[in-house]
Amino acid sequence: MKVKFFSIIAIALFVYGCTSFTGIGTTNPAPMGNTQEDIKSGDAQIENLISQMTIEEKVGQMTQMNLDVVGVGDIYKLVEPHRIDTAKLHNALLNWHVGSFLNCGGHAYSREQWHSLIGEIQRVATTETRLKIPIVYGIDAIHGANYVFGSTLFPQQIGQAATFNPAMSKKAAEVTAYETRAAGISWNFSPVLDVARHPAWSRFFETYGEDPLVCSKFGVATVQGYQGNATPVDSLHVAACMKHFLGYSGARTGKDRTPAYIPEISLREIYLPSFKAAIDAGAMTVMINSGEINGKPVHASKDILIGLLRNELKFKGVAVTDWEDIIKLHMNHRVAPSIKEATFLAVEAGIDMCMVPNDYDFSKYLIELVKEGRITESRLNISVRRILEMKKALGLFDHNAMPSVQAYPNFGSTASQQLAKDIAAESITLLKNENKVLPLNTSAKVLVTGPAANSLTIQNGAWTRTWQGVDAQYNDESKNTIMESIKLIGGSNVSFEEGCTLYETSNAAAAIAAAANAEYIVVCLGEKPSTEKPGDIDDLTMPKAQLDFVKALKQTGKKVILVLVQNRPQLVNEIVNDCDAIILAYEPGDYGADALADILYGKINPSGKLPFTYPRHNQSMIWYDHKYTETLDQNFGNNAFQPQWPFGFGLSYSEVVYESIRLDRDTLVGPNIINVSITISNRSDRAVKESVLLFLSDRYASMTPAVRKLKDFEKVEIGPNSSKNVTFSLRRADLGFIGEDMKLTIEPGDFDIFIGERKASFYYKNY
Ligand code: BGC
C-alpha cells in the first residue's frame, strides 16, 4: 500500500524563512526573470472553456487526488475489490471540480478493473459536470506498466542504462505506454531524470546512473517512446513526466528528501542537462523535487520553477507537485506557518497542479487566496491553460479517449516479453571472471544459493505491483527466478539451497553440505526492494550475514560465482577476492533470470557496462568525472581514486581490442567538427556487443576541469574474429564547461580523447 507517512514527520530545518539562496535564475537571469504571463493560446475550445470557468472550477483543474479518496472504504484501507464510492466521486467532481486523479489503491489491477474505475470517474466528469471536462489519470509505470496485472516488467532504469543502448529503452517505453494506455491511463510519471550522485540514495535504481549524458540520451529515448510522434498523442501513447525537477538526487547524506547543497555550477553541469534534453524532445509534463536545494524547497522556488524552467528552458507543459509537497512546505520544510501559506508559496512559485492528494485543503485555500486577492485569477489561467492543453493533446476531449481493453491485443505479448529479456541480457554486467570460470558448461554441477536466488520480488525491485514491491502475493509465478532459469538449462546438474536470507545465515550449513556435490556455487545476494523514505540506509555495506555466507562458501574450495541483485551498489569489497566471478544483475525484472542463465551458460555474451562508479569504501564515493585533486593520495601520488569498479566497466567472454584512435584533424577551429574514428576488433569465436565510450579531458581550464567526461557512446555488434569502425563527431559545444558566469564556456587549449585504453589529442583554437 502506498502510504506516504513521511509527510507527518517534521524534519527539523535549519533555515526558516531563508532568503539567502542565490537561485539559478538570479545569477543567469532569463529575459523575463521570474515572471510568467497569462497569454491566450490560439485554441478556441480551450479559451472558450477558460472564459466560462469559475474560480472553483479553475482551482479544481489544478487539483490532483488519490484514487483512495473516491473509493469505497478509507484512504489506504479500501474495501476489496476496490470500487468507486459514488457519493465521494460526486463530491470530488461536482463540488470540488477535481481535474486529475492518480495512483492505485495500494496494489495493481487488471486492465478490466482499471477500466471500470477510471471509466466511472471519466463518465461523471464528461457527462455530469457543468463543463464536461475530462479528467487526466496519472500513474507510476516505472519499469513497465507495473500497476497493471499481466503487463511486461522490464529491468529498472539503472539496468537499462547499463545496456548503453537507448534505442532499446525507447522500444521498452513504447511497450510501457501501450500497456498503460490499455488500462485507460494516459499520463505516466516517468522517466526519472535525476542523476545518481549518491550511491546510498534509495532511488538509485530508478535513475540512468551518474553521468549527465547517459541520463540525457536515455531520457530523450524514453520520452519519445512514451509520447510517440503524433500530435495529438495517439491512443497508443502517453504523456511523459520528467522527474524530479531539480537536484532531487543530490541530498548530502543520500537519505531521501533531505537537504541538498548544490552550487549553481554543478546544478547546471550535472543535474540540468537531462531535463533540458527531455524538454527539447517535447516532454509534456514535469514533476517537482520534494526536497530543498541550498535551504530553499524547490516547490517554493520561483528561481527554479519560473526563472529556469519556464523562462530559460522554455518548458511549456504542466508542472505537477510531488506527493503532498504543499503540505510538506508547512509540515516538514517549515517555510510556511500554515498549509494556506504553503499553498500561496507553491502557486506563486509556479506549480500548475497539486498532487494533494488526500484532502481538499489545497482547493479550499487556493480559492480563498484568489477571493482575498492574494493570487490573481489570471495566475490560475496560466496553469489551467497548460492543463487543458495537455488533456487536449492526449485526445481526452475526444469520445474515443479510452478505447476498450480489446483495442490492445499486444498487451503482454511474447514480443514485448522478448524485448524485456533482451534488455536484461544487454544490461547484466560481468565484473570479474577469473581464469575464465564463466561461461559454465551445461554438464557442470552447480549449486544455486543465496537470498536472491529464488525471489521474483528481489529480481523486480520496488514499483512492482505495489509501491515498495515487496508483497509476494502479486508476483507472477509463471516467471522464472534465477534458480528456476538456471535449472531450465542445467537440469539435474543444478541443485538449490537458499542458505542465507538477506540478514541471517541460519541455513548456511545446508548450503555448505550441498556444495560438496557441486563444482560451482552460484550465490545470489541482494537487497530488500525499497524506494523513497522506506529505502533510507545508514550503511552501504552489504549486510554482514551475506558477506559471511560467501566467506563460508569460499571455504568449501568450490568456484564461487557471485550474482548481485540490488537497488544500489552495496559495498562488497570484503568478498571480492573470495569470488571467481562476479555479475551485477541490477533489478532485471520478470525475464531477467532467463537472460542471466543464458549469460552464465554462454548462450549470451555479456555486454552490460556500469553506468556508475561502483564504490569500494563508504568514505570514497568519488564519481568518474572527479577533479584532479581527488586523485591525490596520502603519499602525494595520484592513486586516491580506487573504486571497486570504474564507470563504464564490464567484461564479455570475448577479447575485444581497441586499435588506435584516428582524428581527421589535429586542430579544431571555431565551429568545425572533429571526427574521431576507432577500429574495434573482436578476437574471439563468438559475436560480441560492445559499448564504445568516448571520454574527453580538458587539460587546463579556468574552472577546475574534470579528469574526464563522457562525450558520446555507441553500442556496436562485432562478429566473430572481425572488426568494426566507429566514428564520433565532436563539436565545439562538446568542449565546453559551465564558467564562472554560469554560461557555457569554451576555452582554447589542448584536449585528450580516451576510448578504451587508447588516447589521442587535439588543440582547440577560438575564432
Ligand atoms: C514519488 C514520485 C511519484 C509520486 C506519485 C512520490 O512519492 O516521489 O516519484 O511519481 O509519488 O506516486
Side-chain angles (χ1 to χ4, degrees):
M1 175 168 308
K2 182 165 186 167
V3 186
K4 299 301 183 85
F5 50 85
F6 43 88
S7 67
I8 52 169
I9 303 166
I11 299 171
L13 197 74
F14 64 98
V15 193
Y16 176 71
C18 168
T19 50
S20 64
F21 174 67
T22 38
I24 195 141
T26 40
T27 331
N28 196 19
M32 286 188 53
N34 289 342
T35 59
Q36 44 181 355
E37 285 176 46
D38 177 14
I39 302 169
K40 289 198 171 129
S41 72
D43 189 309
Q45 183 188 13
I46 289 174
E47 293 308 326
N48 184 28
L49 275 173
I50 294 177
S51 71
Q52 294 177 59
M53 288 168 88
T54 62
I55 294 169
E56 288 78 2
E57 284 165 333
K58 289 178 183 174
V59 168
Q61 283 303 313
M62 295 170 68
T63 303
Q64 185 178 59
M65 299 303 278
N66 186 9
L67 177 63
D68 289 37
V69 172
V70 293
V72 174
D74 296 325
I75 291 170
Y76 303 139
K77 284 190 204 120
L78 293 185
V79 173
E80 294 282 352
H82 298 174
R83 54 193 192 282
I84 299 290
D85 180 320
T86 310
K88 289 181 186 170
L89 182 63
H90 280 159
N91 185 36
L93 292 178
L94 305 180
N95 296 338
W96 293 103
H97 318 284
V98 170
S100 181
F101 287 83
L102 86 152
N103 207 12
C104 55
H107 59 72
Y109 304 128
S110 67
R111 284 168 285 165
E112 291 75 11
Q113 200 175 351
W114 271 120
H115 270 261
S116 115
L117 292 164
I118 300 177
E120 180 56 8
I121 302 176
Q122 207 60 288
R123 188 190 65 73
V124 175
T126 55
T127 61
E128 295 184 28
T129 65
R130 192 175 75 92
L131 295 173
K132 309 199 176 354
I133 300 174
I135 62 105
V136 58
Y137 204 98
I139 201 77
D140 295 282
I142 302 295
H143 65 125
N146 39 248
Y147 283 144
V148 188
F149 285 132
S151 65
T152 313
L153 293 179
F154 291 93
Q156 298 278 0
Q157 271 189 208
I158 194 71
Q160 297 199 28
T163 66
F164 280 89
N165 189 347
M168 282 184 118
S169 286
K170 181 174 178 185
K171 287 188 193 156
E174 282 164 3
V175 170
T176 301
Y178 181 95
E179 297 188 358
T180 300
R181 206 71 195 235
I185 301 174
S186 50
W187 185 11
N188 187 9
F189 301 138
S190 172
V192 167
L193 300 180
D194 301 309
V195 183
R197 289 270 154 166
H198 202 307
W201 188 40
S202 64
R203 309 190 73 167
F204 190 90
F205 69 96
E206 290 183 56
T207 73
Y208 291 119
E210 83 183 35
D211 176 65
L213 180 77
V214 175
C215 292
S216 302
K217 286 202 179 195
F218 275 88
V220 166
T222 303
V223 166
Q224 289 171 342
Y226 285 153
Q227 297 188 174
N229 300 324
T231 329
V233 176
D234 64 26
S235 59
L236 305 179
H237 293 88
V238 295
C241 185
M242 310 172 279
K243 305 197 299 198
H244 305 78
F245 195 77
L246 181 69
Y248 180 34
S249 52
R252 183 180 61 83
T253 60
K255 300 227 167 128
D256 193 48
R257 294 172 160 90
T258 58
Y261 304 94
I262 310 177
E264 181 172 345
I265 196 164
S266 312
L267 208 53
R268 288 185 175 277
E269 204 151 279
I270 307 294
Y271 296 92
L272 193 59
S274 48
F275 287 94
K276 181 177 176 352
I279 290 171
D280 293 345
M284 292 167 71
T285 73
V286 67
M287 192 182 291
I288 309 307
N289 165 15
S290 279
E292 63 170 79
I293 303 179
N294 307 343
K296 188 86 174 173
V298 180
H299 280 81
S301 172
K302 282 188 187 181
D303 283 344
I304 292 183
L305 300 187
I306 300 180
L308 178 62
L309 181 65
R310 299 295 177 185
N311 295 336
E312 190 181 324
L313 298 180
K314 306 270 177 273
F315 177 63
K316 303 266 184 296
V318 172
V320 62
T321 74
D322 202 340
W323 187 277
E324 292 184 338
D325 266 304
I326 289 189
I327 300 172
K328 285 181 198 138
L329 287 180
H330 166 58
M331 299 280 290
N332 298 3
H333 293 297
R334 302 213 175 201
V335 293
S338 65
I339 293 180
K340 182 168 173 180
E341 290 311 308
T343 305
F344 177 76
L345 281 184
V347 173
E348 284 295 276
I351 65 105
D352 295 314
M353 184 184 283
C354 176
M355 190 187 285
V356 191
N358 287 325
D359 60 41
Y360 294 102
D361 278 1
F362 167 77
S363 315
K364 185 173 96 189
Y365 293 130
L366 185 51
I367 292 166
E368 279 179 23
L369 288 162
V370 178
K371 293 200 168 154
E372 288 162 8
R374 292 182 62 199
I375 289 181
T376 62
E377 206 173 331
S378 177
R379 164 66 191 87
L380 302 188
N381 293 345
I382 297 173
S383 292
V384 171
R385 186 172 293 115
R386 291 179 186 138
I387 292 163
L388 295 181
E389 277 169 355
M390 170 201 186
K391 290 183 176 182
K392 188 158 185 184
L394 284 170
L396 292 171
F397 283 101
D398 300 342
H399 288 304
N400 196 22
M402 217 169 132
S404 70
V405 167
Q406 287 67 38
Y408 299 86
N410 296 327
F411 179 91
S413 70
T414 320
S416 302
Q417 297 178 10
Q418 182 63 45
L419 175 66
K421 183 184 168 189
D422 291 346
I423 294 177
E426 287 205 21
S427 74
I428 291 170
T429 307
L430 180 63
L431 297 171
K432 181 175 179 184
N433 194 16
E434 198 100 318
N435 299 323
K436 299 198 174 150
V437 63
L438 292 176
L440 298 172
N441 200 299
T442 47
S443 61
K445 296 270 185 222
V446 179
L447 168 69
V448 182
T449 185
N454 193 27
S455 170
L456 285 172
T457 304
I458 295 177
Q459 237 166 270
N460 274 299
W463 303 108
T464 301
R465 312 307 184 207
T466 63
W467 176 39
Q468 295 297 310
V470 285
D471 197 340
Q473 67 169 305
Y474 300 114
N475 288 340
D476 177 353
E477 298 298 338
S478 71
K479 308 304 177 216
N480 294 322
T481 64
I482 296 175
M483 176 271 286
E484 288 165 344
S485 297
I486 294 179
K487 276 196 170 170
L488 280 175
I489 300 180
S492 58
N493 290 322
V494 177
S495 60
F496 169 68
E497 274 297 335
E498 191 186 36
C500 168
T501 66
L502 291 172
Y503 305 105
E504 282 168 29
T505 41
S506 41
N507 298 324
I512 288 163
N517 302 320
E519 300 156 78
Y520 299 91
I521 304 172
V522 175
V523 53
C524 307
L525 303 186
E527 193 181 359
K528 185 179 162 206
S530 61
T531 183
E532 303 186 52
K533 210 63 192 164
D536 278 0
I537 52 169
D538 292 322
D539 189 349
L540 192 56
T541 314
M542 171 160 279
K544 186 170 180 315
Q546 297 189 59
L547 297 174
D548 288 348
F549 185 50
V550 170
K551 289 177 195 166
L553 293 173
K554 173 68 183 169
Q555 295 308 314
T556 65
K558 307 299 166 118
K559 301 276 183 215
V560 177
I561 296 154
L562 171 64
V563 175
L564 296 166
V565 192
Q566 52 191 6
N567 311 348
R568 55 202 138 198
Q570 300 186 101
L571 305 181
V572 290
N573 190 28
E574 261 184 59
I575 54 168
V576 165
N577 289 339
D578 295 328
C579 304
D580 297 279
I582 302 180
I583 296 180
L584 178 57
Y586 309 92
E587 286 166 321
D590 266 348
Y591 310 92
D594 297 338
L596 176 70
D598 282 353
I599 286 175
L600 286 170
Y601 284 102
K603 292 177 159 200
I604 290 174
N605 199 352
S607 65
K609 288 193 173 181
L610 284 177
F612 55 86
T613 308
Y614 202 116
R616 190 189 295 268
H617 304 291
N618 265 316
Q619 287 310 315
S620 292
M621 294 175 180
I622 308 176
W623 311 299
Y624 88 91
D625 52 353
H626 52 269
K627 303 293 180 75
Y628 285 93
T629 48
E630 291 174 280
T631 67
L632 267 188
D633 59 36
Q634 290 141 328
N635 300 320
F636 304 101
N638 287 99
N639 292 316
F641 180 59
Q642 295 289 347
Q644 192 74 63
W645 294 287
F647 174 89
F649 182 74
L651 304 167
S652 71
Y653 297 145
S654 303
E655 191 197 346
V656 175
V657 178
Y658 285 68
E659 316 289 353
S660 55
I661 298 175
R662 301 178 300 278
L663 304 181
D664 69 349
R665 59 187 74 208
D666 54 18
T667 304
L668 178 64
V669 186
N672 290 325
I673 287 175
I674 186 160
N675 290 310
V676 183
S677 306
I678 188 155
T679 305
I680 299 147
S681 301
N682 171 13
R683 298 195 187 147
S684 78
D685 292 336
R686 56 172 90 220
V688 69
K689 288 181 180 162
E690 177 70 10
S691 298
V692 185
L693 276 50
L694 182 152
F695 297 93
L696 188 72
S697 160
D698 188 351
R699 281 195 209 160
Y700 299 94
S702 56
M703 300 300 281
T704 55
V707 297
R708 54 172 64 185
K709 285 185 188 172
L710 186 72
K711 289 296 166 185
D712 208 348
F713 59 88
E714 195 178 325
K715 192 156 196 177
V716 290
E717 183 156 9
I718 316 174
N721 297 309
S722 45
S723 303
K724 207 150 226 169
N725 288 325
V726 178
T727 299
F728 299 103
S729 298
L730 287 178
R731 52 197 73 233
R732 191 174 172 265
D734 293 320
L735 316 186
F737 58 91
I738 301 295
E740 217 163 356
D741 59 357
M742 298 304 132
K743 299 207 170 103
L744 186 72
T745 306
I746 298 141
E747 292 172 348
D750 289 308
F751 288 83
D752 297 318
I753 292 170
F754 299 90
I755 307 177
E757 297 301 304
R758 300 294 178 170
K759 177 180 167 187
S761 308
F762 68 94
Y763 185 81
Y764 171 73
K765 207 164 132 188
N766 256 338
Y767 58 102

